[in-house]
């Protein structure tokens, strides 16, 4: 079963099968060393730039800002949910996660 993914409203939403599912206004705690110098970067996503799928995992590229140090930048392939049996299951944005390394997605 095919799943339709799109960026909507100038980067404000990720649409899955024509339903708005992931907003850009959540704060995502990221265990990352390449976004900023914070041990955990609490990043508010300002706009989605791309959406894709790696096997069953839905990933986005986004522009965001760390709310602790103020660093602004680009996030490469942040997992935001998964597709299982044609249904989308969003990841909890409050759970700590790592960003994917550039080029690691298999799309």
């Amino acid at each position: 079963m095919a799943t339709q993914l799109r960026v909507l409203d100038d980067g404000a939403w990720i649409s899955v099968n024509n339903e708005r599912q992931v907003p850009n206004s959540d704060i995502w705690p990221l265990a990352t060393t390449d976004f900023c110098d914070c041990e955990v970067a609490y990043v508010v996503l300002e706009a989605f730039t791309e959406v894709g799928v790696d096997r069953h995992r839905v990933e986005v590229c986004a522009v965001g800002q760390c709310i602790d140090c103020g660093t602004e930048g680009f996030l490469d392939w942040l997992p935001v949910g998964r597709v299982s049996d044609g249904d989308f299951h969003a990841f909890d944005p409050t759970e700590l996660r790592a960003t994917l390394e550039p080029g690691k997605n298999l799309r």
Side-chain angles (χ1 to χ4, degrees):
M1 173 179 277
T3 302
Q4 184 181 27
L5 301 172
R6 294 187 310 163
V7 176
L8 295 178
D9 302 331
D10 294 326
W13 286 92
I14 296 300
S15 168
V16 181
N17 293 330
N18 295 317
E19 292 185 27
R20 286 174 171 81
Q21 294 286 341
V22 182
N24 71 354
S25 57
D26 289 327
I27 296 173
W28 295 73
L30 306 176
T32 181
T33 58
D34 59 352
F35 185 78
C36 67
D37 292 332
C38 297
E39 185 173 326
V40 174
Y42 291 91
V43 177
V44 62
L45 300 182
E46 297 172 341
F48 297 114
T49 59
E50 198 170 342
V51 62
V53 66
D54 179 3
R55 299 184 190 239
H56 297 286
R57 187 177 53 218
V58 175
E59 304 168 353
V60 299
C61 292
V63 175
Q65 181 175 15
C66 178
I67 62 172
D68 287 332
C69 71
T71 297
E72 292 181 305
F74 181 77
L75 292 166
D76 239 356
W77 302 117
L78 175 68
V80 295
R82 65 181 174 80
V83 176
S84 177
D85 296 324
D87 293 325
F88 177 73
H89 305 277
F91 292 154
D92 181 352
T94 63
E95 291 181 5
L96 183 66
R97 72 191 71 251
T99 58
L100 299 178
E101 295 177 35
K104 292 292 184 180
N105 64 322
L106 302 176
R107 294 179 307 127

